[in-house]
Amino acid sequence: MDSLSSSSLSPYYHIIFTALAFFLSALFFLLSRKSKSRKLNLPPGPPGWPVVGNLFQVARSGKPFFQYVRDLLPVYGPIFTLKMGTRTMIVISSADLVYEALIEKGQIFASRPRENPTRTIFSCNKFTVNAALYGPVWRSLRRNMVQNMLSPTRLKGFKNARDIAMDKLVERIKFEADANDGAVWVLKNARFAVFCILVAMCFGLGMEEQMIETIDQMMKTVLIVLNPRIDDYLPILSPFFSKQRKEVQEVRKQQIELLVKLIEKRRNAIQNPGSDKTAATFSYLDTLFDLKIEGRKSAPSDAELVTLCSEFLNGGTDTTGTAIEWAIARMIENPEIQTKLYEEIKIVVGDKKVEEKDMEQMPYLNAVAKELLRKHPPTYLSLTHAVIEPAKLGGYDIPTDTNVEIFLPGISDDPKIWADPMKFDPDRFFTGREDADITGVTGVKMIPFGIGRRICPGLAMATLHVNLMLARMVQEFEWTAYPKNSKVDFSEKAEFTVVMKNPLRAHIKPRI
Ligand code: HEM
């Protein structure tokens, strides 16, 4: 999911790096000619310079990485190689290749690559579900998250947190609209609502809105310093980045300081039942305090708890918020879809507030949500995979320590798989004309949550959050363009997820 754009580099650095690149190219040219990779049958790719490879082409293109990849598809096909300094990236983008890698050869492709130094700090040396190598640590952490936190029974237990967050969302939207002539920002509000749910699930503590905002701000700062830098690909340049490295240490320190206070508070609440009246009966932290990790004697340290909690909060916030922003944009663009959805909600729940139990009786809502995740998968590049041993894919060699990137729209926009794929059309699912198994087991057609051993463990919760928020937002308000009669701009922009380039501001009218 890495992106590297020239905007992160000052012009001054460009000059230094270009000069250095020439110097390094000359120096290492002979070595690289002899290098082992020449004997490998790697997928084709754009020619690059020795040593730096395609790194500067990507950085100087000015395009987000997903766009760079998209533009290469017609030239190099569904599997190609990019040399990014010392990293080799193999990008795959067809259903067949993804099926071969993640289902047929699922175990071999189930690992993660080496991490850059910044990520190593924030992941406590790969002590998270998403970053752990395929092995005992990953199994222990993932099993705990799936069984003790995200199982259907556990999910039901957090209904109260969802109800509170949904009511708060409606209230915030009304308040913002009242103060702004009916206009509201969509992503900001949806993100915050889902963040409130995840914070409640993670820490099990009652919290003022101000504190939730502070944690949210902290998470955003972390995501910014996690953005890849050029020295992640060319470690020889790291002496130029000592200031940035200090900043990383500082942000990590602040993150630990902030979250350890909450961890302590929860520990206290569990050890002294009844002492904190706001404390919930259960939280993700509770599952982690004494967690047994295969091959390890000690339970997670405080720093590791901070890392695991951050993973839980980050995994589901921007992804779900982004989905809602695109959803509302599509509702505005297609008022007939919005009306059909509203009619379904009214028929099923009447004048009551829409609740999660109602969702099973709403096939149109489910079709809209599915079409949304097909057309707008919140991340275009899945988390990076790596092989546990040298492997073959599509007849090419995939060495270990190679980044295997999966470009999701290559599959969900493929006209060989979908009729009129660029059209947003929930009816394709509603009428049963087309269908897709998003777990990929019976075939790959759309994979917004990835597939195989590393499939997103939050799939069920995320789907519930998207459906619930969308249903509630459409039940409460009629959404139209702001300014009136303007056209929604569907341009994309890469942040942690792929958001709308011009953040969506919409006009609302309360329905009741
Ligand atoms: C609409 C919302 C979401 C989308 C689109 C999404 C998408 C994804 C994708 C594409 C992956 C990578 C799969 C792979 O490596 O092949 C992933 C992994 C992951 N997601 Fe999600 N996700 C969402 C919500 C959540 C939520 C709510 C959580 C939990 C709180 C979560 C936690 C994780 C974790 C821990 C992983 C790593 C799994 C592993 O490496 O074993 N995600 N997600």
Side-chain angles (χ1 to χ4, degrees):
M1 264 203 286
D2 289 355
S3 65
L4 180 77
S5 76
S6 55
S7 60
S8 56
L9 306 169
S10 75
Y12 170 71
Y13 280 137
H14 268 136
I15 297 167
I16 295 180
F17 294 151
T18 309
L20 256 167
F22 276 119
F23 173 71
L24 292 172
S25 304
L27 195 68
F28 292 112
F29 186 54
L30 267 174
L31 287 176
S32 68
R33 283 179 62 188
K34 284 185 191 157
S35 87
K36 216 169 84 191
S37 70
R38 273 178 59 86
K39 288 182 218 124
L40 293 169
N41 177 27
L42 291 179
W49 293 352
V51 183
V52 295
N54 308 107
L55 185 60
F56 292 164
Q57 293 156 7
V58 174
R60 302 192 76 157
S61 70
K63 295 176 194 167
F65 187 63
F66 74 82
Q67 190 56 47
Y68 195 82
V69 165
R70 192 187 259 155
D71 292 348
L72 288 182
L73 294 184
V75 187
Y76 294 101
I79 177 164
F80 60 82
T81 306
L82 286 174
K83 290 270 189 188
M84 302 287 279
T86 55
R87 307 286 321 155
T88 299
M89 239 180 221
I90 293 179
V91 184
I92 57 178
S93 59
S94 76
D96 293 352
L97 289 168
V98 170
Y99 190 79
E100 181 184 341
L102 301 187
I103 302 289
E104 285 173 1
K105 299 176 180 166
Q107 192 183 353
I108 297 174
F109 279 81
S111 206
R112 299 288 188 211
R114 182 159 45 96
E115 288 204 296
N116 67 43
T118 311
R119 285 185 179 268
T120 305
I121 292 170
F122 281 95
S123 72
C124 274
N125 203 12
K126 288 181 162 291
F127 195 73
T128 58
V129 179
N130 77 84
L133 300 179
Y134 186 61
V137 169
W138 171 74
R139 251 193 316 276
S140 305
L141 294 177
R142 182 164 170 125
R143 193 188 304 127
N144 176 61
M145 187 189 266
V146 170
Q147 292 179 357
N148 298 332
M149 202 56 199
L150 300 175
S151 69
T153 325
R154 279 287 183 221
L155 272 185
K156 278 203 189 99
F158 291 104
K159 178 175 178 298
N160 192 35
R162 290 188 288 274
D163 286 347
I164 293 172
M166 288 305 108
D167 288 346
K168 190 90 208 150
L169 169 69
V170 170
E171 200 183 294
R172 277 170 75 107
I173 289 177
K174 274 188 184 146
F175 185 79
E176 190 177 321
D178 285 347
N180 295 284
D181 210 11
V184 292
W185 296 103
V186 177
L187 177 60
K188 190 178 69 136
N189 283 304
R191 242 193 118 265
F192 191 69
V194 73
F195 193 67
C196 289
I197 302 175
L198 295 176
V199 166
M201 293 176 75
C202 184
F203 298 106
L205 297 166
M207 259 181 234
E208 296 289 319
E209 213 164 285
Q210 186 55 47
M211 184 61 190
I212 302 178
E213 301 257 14
T214 307
I215 306 170
D216 188 20
Q217 201 46 53
M218 181 75 246
M219 292 296 155
K220 284 184 188 151
T221 312
V222 171
L223 287 179
I224 291 167
V225 296
L226 281 175
N227 264 334
R229 294 192 312 255
I230 201 119
D231 58 322
D232 296 330
Y233 300 97
L234 287 177
I236 197 163
L237 297 179
S238 60
F240 293 95
F241 289 88
S242 54
K243 198 170 128 236
Q244 284 84 346
R245 278 200 302 280
K246 268 206 202 97
E247 192 196 344
V248 166
Q249 297 285 1
E250 188 47 40
V251 172
R252 175 65 176 166
K253 200 170 130 234
Q254 289 167 9
Q255 186 198 30
I256 291 184
E257 270 169 22
L258 179 68
L259 297 191
V260 164
K261 277 194 208 128
L262 301 175
I263 292 170
E264 284 300 328
K265 210 168 165 201
R266 181 69 195 176
R267 236 188 222 123
N268 238 319
I270 298 178
Q271 283 160 2
N272 307 293
S275 62
D276 182 346
K277 298 278 177 283
T278 72
T281 47
F282 187 72
S283 79
Y284 184 44
L285 253 181
D286 306 0
T287 71
L288 298 173
F289 280 134
D290 300 312
L291 184 64
K292 301 230 175 333
I293 313 287
E294 276 178 62
R296 218 177 102 151
K297 288 208 178 78
S298 54
S301 66
D302 275 1
E304 286 170 337
L305 292 175
V306 166
T307 288
L308 291 167
C309 289
S310 304
E311 169 180 53
F312 189 80
L313 300 178
N314 279 335
T317 304
D318 288 286
T319 42
T320 310
T322 305
I324 294 297
E325 184 181 45
W326 290 109
I328 296 297
R330 290 298 183 182
M331 294 301 107
I332 295 171
E333 184 203 35
N334 303 286
E336 71 292 350
I337 295 180
Q338 187 177 167
T339 305
K340 196 164 165 181
L341 181 54
Y342 178 63
E343 292 300 325
E344 182 182 75
I345 297 169
K346 252 178 68 177
I347 289 167
V348 175
V349 304
D351 291 334
K352 287 195 303 71
K353 250 192 291 189
V354 60
E355 294 225 29
E356 41 198 82
K357 66 170 168 35
D358 305 319
M359 248 130 257
E360 286 156 30
Q361 302 162 56
M362 296 187 175
Y364 193 65
L365 171 68
N366 288 297
V368 172
K370 197 161 186 180
E371 177 66 347
L372 177 73
L373 292 171
R374 182 193 69 82
K375 195 66 214 77
H376 301 287
T379 64
Y380 281 9
L381 288 146
S382 181
L383 293 180
T384 310
H385 283 250
V387 288
I388 54 172
E389 61 191 39
K392 289 270 185 197
L393 185 62
Y396 294 107
D397 288 318
I398 311 292
T400 53
D401 203 32
T402 301
N403 287 25
V404 178
E405 307 284 354
I406 299 156
F407 183 63
L408 309 186
I411 300 164
S412 50
D413 286 347
D414 186 347
K416 291 198 288 303
I417 299 179
W418 297 98
D420 204 356
M422 302 320 276
K423 184 173 176 204
F424 182 80
D425 180 14
D427 274 348
R428 71 174 80 236
F429 295 119
F430 185 61
T431 60
R433 205 173 358 109
E434 294 181 272
D435 206 1
D437 161 21
I438 57 168
T439 66
V441 178
T442 58
V444 174
K445 292 176 93 178
M446 56 185 275
I447 54 167
F449 296 100
I451 50 168
R453 286 167 169 74
R454 291 281 191 164
I455 192 170
C456 176
L459 189 156
M461 176 164 78
T463 314
L464 172 62
H465 288 169
V466 169
N467 283 19
L468 185 61
M469 219 184 310
L470 179 58
R472 192 71 198 278
M473 285 164 93
V474 169
Q475 183 186 33
E476 297 276 350
F477 310 109
E478 186 186 343
W479 297 82
T480 48
Y482 181 87
K484 244 189 171 52
N485 300 324
S486 59
K487 265 197 139 3
V488 180
D489 176 3
F490 281 88
S491 313
E492 309 136 311
K493 181 172 122 197
E495 286 191 350
F496 175 59
T497 50
V498 178
V499 292
M500 296 183 75
K501 187 169 176 187
N502 295 308
L504 182 65
R505 203 170 185 204
H507 188 273
I508 58 153
K509 197 165 106 204
R511 299 219 193 236
I512 320 154

